[in-house]
Amino acid sequence: MAAHLRAAAFAVHVMRCVQAELIRFDPKAAVHVDRGGKYIHLYGEAQGTAFSILLTDSEADAWKADGPYALDRYIWAELAKKGIRPVQWTPYLQTVFSTS
């Protein structure tokens, strides 16, 4: 279903999936998704670490074109660079990382 969304709406959907997982892993996490002008922003704090991932609409479009879960993998890789990692492998994460 998400594959049929426009790039910005697609990116918001993906970021909300990541947001839900981060909050599931850390109930004290404060994770936000904002959509403005020509960008989409995932930011907050999880696992005691602040993070910010900003995508332009054109970047979101490029990630969407890269295939299923490419944007999800990118976001999780960016979070891992900050030391934020999944605490467990949920069905969502298993799908994300088995579709490379």
Side-chain angles (χ1 to χ4, degrees), residues 58-93:
S58 59
E59 289 171 324
D61 198 34
W63 282 111
K64 182 179 177 195
D66 277 350
Y69 300 102
L71 178 55
D72 305 65
R73 283 189 297 277
Y74 166 74
I75 292 170
W76 284 106
E78 291 299 305
L79 291 170
K81 289 177 186 177
K82 299 265 187 197
I84 301 169
R85 293 186 173 78
V87 178
Q88 66 187 38
W89 287 104
T90 63
Y92 160 73
L93 288 169

Side-chain angles (χ1 to χ4, degrees), residues 22 25-26 28-30 44-51 82-85:
L22 290 171
F25 299 147
D26 177 6
K28 294 181 182 179
E45 183 177 320
Q47 300 174 3
T49 303
F51 65 90
K82 299 265 187 197
I84 301 169
R85 293 186 173 78

Side-chain angles (χ1 to χ4, degrees), residues 34-64:
D34 286 342
R35 168 85 175 103
K38 299 213 178 260
Y39 70 88
I40 309 94
H41 193 193
L42 176 71
Y43 63 97
E45 183 177 320
Q47 300 174 3
T49 303
F51 65 90
S52 174
I53 300 171
L54 185 67
L55 291 177
T56 64
D57 286 355
S58 59
E59 289 171 324
D61 198 34
W63 282 111
K64 182 179 177 195

